[in-house]
């Protein structure tokens, strides 16, 4: 019995990382209805940026966030303002094709620069430390930190959307971009800010991902898949739903791995399919 309790706890902790993967995707979709196919590759790109920063400066990966977060924010702003804004409209196909092309470019650029060898970020042993709840349950310090950061970022995003002028601009632009233009709001600037914030969150997720496991240039599509499943399970437009979606996905995979090592990822996909069948709008759908 304690073994199953440990499995559930490990699944919840893993879900914190999946929620971080999904948070930026949920933000971009919530504001401009754009499905970013390159989202997973941007996570991998940010992980390599953290690797280069840590290696060249001697900083720890967590300290490298001071470089990676603003760098990814600027990349997101420029990417949206200089490229993705021109693809937005009533047809969803142009942004899908452009972000798909961006995904291919990022993967090949990383392969040329870093080769296909997997890399990882080291945190001096903190990533493997844990404390015990009884004899059979071990809770890792690092996974607990990841879950705590996911909860804090979710709360901050909900607060920003509900209580700040920028959040009101996001919601108004999402609801009626033509009306906000008549009120003097630059919708293209608002979209760029949303993508910048989303990629800043991606930087946080990427550093935690690189510390937790190895990463390679072609890992992006898998990260995108997990992020997409977490968003759909939780419900489009809901940040707390995205957090729950990530946890549900993590728990499903942990239970699957306990039943059979080959079933872990499949169990997550089955949980995603079950939600699509019985609650197509997700567990906590929200219309902004």
């Amino acid at each position: 019995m304690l073994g199953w309790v440990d499995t559930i706890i490990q699944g919840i902790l893993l879900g914190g990382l999946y929620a971080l993967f999904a948070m930026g995707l949920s933000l971009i979709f919530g504001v401009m209805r754009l499905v970013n196919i390159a989202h997973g590759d941007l996570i991998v790109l940010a992980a390599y940026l953290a690797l280069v920063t840590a290696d060249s400066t001697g900083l720890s990966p967590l300290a490298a966030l001071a470089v990676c977060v603003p760098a990814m924010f600027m990349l997101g702003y420029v990417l949206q303002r200089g490229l993705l804004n021109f693809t937005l409209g009533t047809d969803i196909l142009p942004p899908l094709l452009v972000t798909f092309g961006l995904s291919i470019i990022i993967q090949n650029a990383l392969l040329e620069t870093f080769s296909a060898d997997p890399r990882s970020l080291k945190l001096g042993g903190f990533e493997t430390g844990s404390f015990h709840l009884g004899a059979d349950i071990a809770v890792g310090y690092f996974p607990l930190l990841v879950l705590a950061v996911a909860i804090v970022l979710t709360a901050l995003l909900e607060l920003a959307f509900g209580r700040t002028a920028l959040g009101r601009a996001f919601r108004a632009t999402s609801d009626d971009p033509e009306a906000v233009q008549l009120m003097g709001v630059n919708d293209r600037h608002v979209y760029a800010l949303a993508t910048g914030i989303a990629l800043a969150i991606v930087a946080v997720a990427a550093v935690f991902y690189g510390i937790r496991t190895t990463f390679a240039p072609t890992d992006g599509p898998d990260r995108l898949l997990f992020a997409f499943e977490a968003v759909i399970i939780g419900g489009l437009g809901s940040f707390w739903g995205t957090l729950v979606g990530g946890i549900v996905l993590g728990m499903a995979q942990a239970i699957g791995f306990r039943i059979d090592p080959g079933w872990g990822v499949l169990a997550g996909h089955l949980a995603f399919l079950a939600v699509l069948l019985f609650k197509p709008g997700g567990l906590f759908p929200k219309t902004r």
Side-chain angles (χ1 to χ4, degrees):
M1 182 62 186
L2 286 178
W4 282 103
V5 173
D6 182 58
T7 298
I8 297 297
I9 292 174
Q10 303 311 321
I12 292 172
L13 296 176
L14 176 61
L17 182 61
Y18 289 160
L20 286 175
F21 285 166
M23 210 70 71
L25 193 69
S26 179
L27 173 59
I28 290 175
F29 183 86
V31 173
M32 64 193 89
R33 303 292 186 263
L34 188 153
V35 178
N36 182 6
I37 301 296
H39 185 78
D41 300 288
L42 288 166
I43 292 174
V44 176
L45 174 65
Y48 276 103
L49 177 60
L51 177 70
V52 170
T53 303
D55 287 349
S56 59
T57 63
L59 294 171
S60 77
L62 292 182
L65 281 171
V67 175
C68 295
V69 168
M72 291 301 290
F73 175 86
M74 289 306 300
L75 174 62
Y77 188 93
V78 171
L79 187 64
Q80 185 68 44
R81 203 65 192 261
L83 178 64
L84 297 180
N85 274 344
F86 299 104
T87 70
L88 297 178
T90 55
D91 188 355
I92 64 170
L93 190 58
L96 285 177
L97 293 176
V98 169
T99 54
F100 176 73
L102 187 62
S103 165
I104 300 299
I105 291 171
I106 292 173
Q107 286 185 40
N108 282 278
L110 291 176
L111 275 170
E112 286 293 328
T113 307
F114 297 99
S115 81
D117 296 337
R119 311 292 180 93
S120 66
L121 300 171
K122 303 299 182 185
L123 204 56
F126 178 75
E127 65 270 34
T128 57
S130 64
F131 63 91
H132 290 267
L133 299 174
D136 298 320
I137 300 176
V139 179
Y141 297 124
F142 177 70
L144 199 58
L145 172 66
V146 175
L147 179 63
V149 170
I151 293 171
V152 169
L153 282 179
T154 302
L156 288 176
L157 281 174
E158 283 288 347
L159 187 64
F161 261 73
R163 303 290 180 84
T164 67
L166 179 61
R168 287 191 289 274
F170 282 158
R171 285 185 281 121
T173 308
S174 173
D175 291 339
D176 194 337
E178 294 181 356
V180 297
Q181 288 182 59
L182 295 175
M183 298 173 66
V185 175
N186 185 341
D187 60 330
R188 303 294 162 170
H189 175 62
V190 171
Y191 290 154
L193 286 176
T195 303
I197 294 172
L199 290 201
I201 297 171
V202 159
V204 177
V207 168
F208 288 147
Y209 162 56
I211 294 172
R212 183 182 177 98
T213 185
T214 60
F215 53 91
T218 55
D219 285 352
D222 284 344
R223 304 311 108 190
L224 171 66
L225 180 59
F226 294 151
F228 187 73
E229 289 182 341
V231 171
I232 298 300
I233 290 172
L236 293 171
S238 169
F239 294 122
W240 286 115
T242 299
L243 176 65
V244 173
I247 290 174
V248 169
L249 183 63
M251 288 173 58
Q253 290 189 1
I255 292 172
F257 278 121
R258 180 171 178 80
I259 295 172
D260 187 287
W263 281 34
V265 176
L266 175 61
H269 296 332
L270 291 176
F272 166 67
L273 181 61
V275 171
L276 275 183
L277 286 175
F278 297 106
K279 286 189 72 70
L283 299 177
F284 303 97
K286 184 176 181 180
T287 303
R288 294 188 184 282

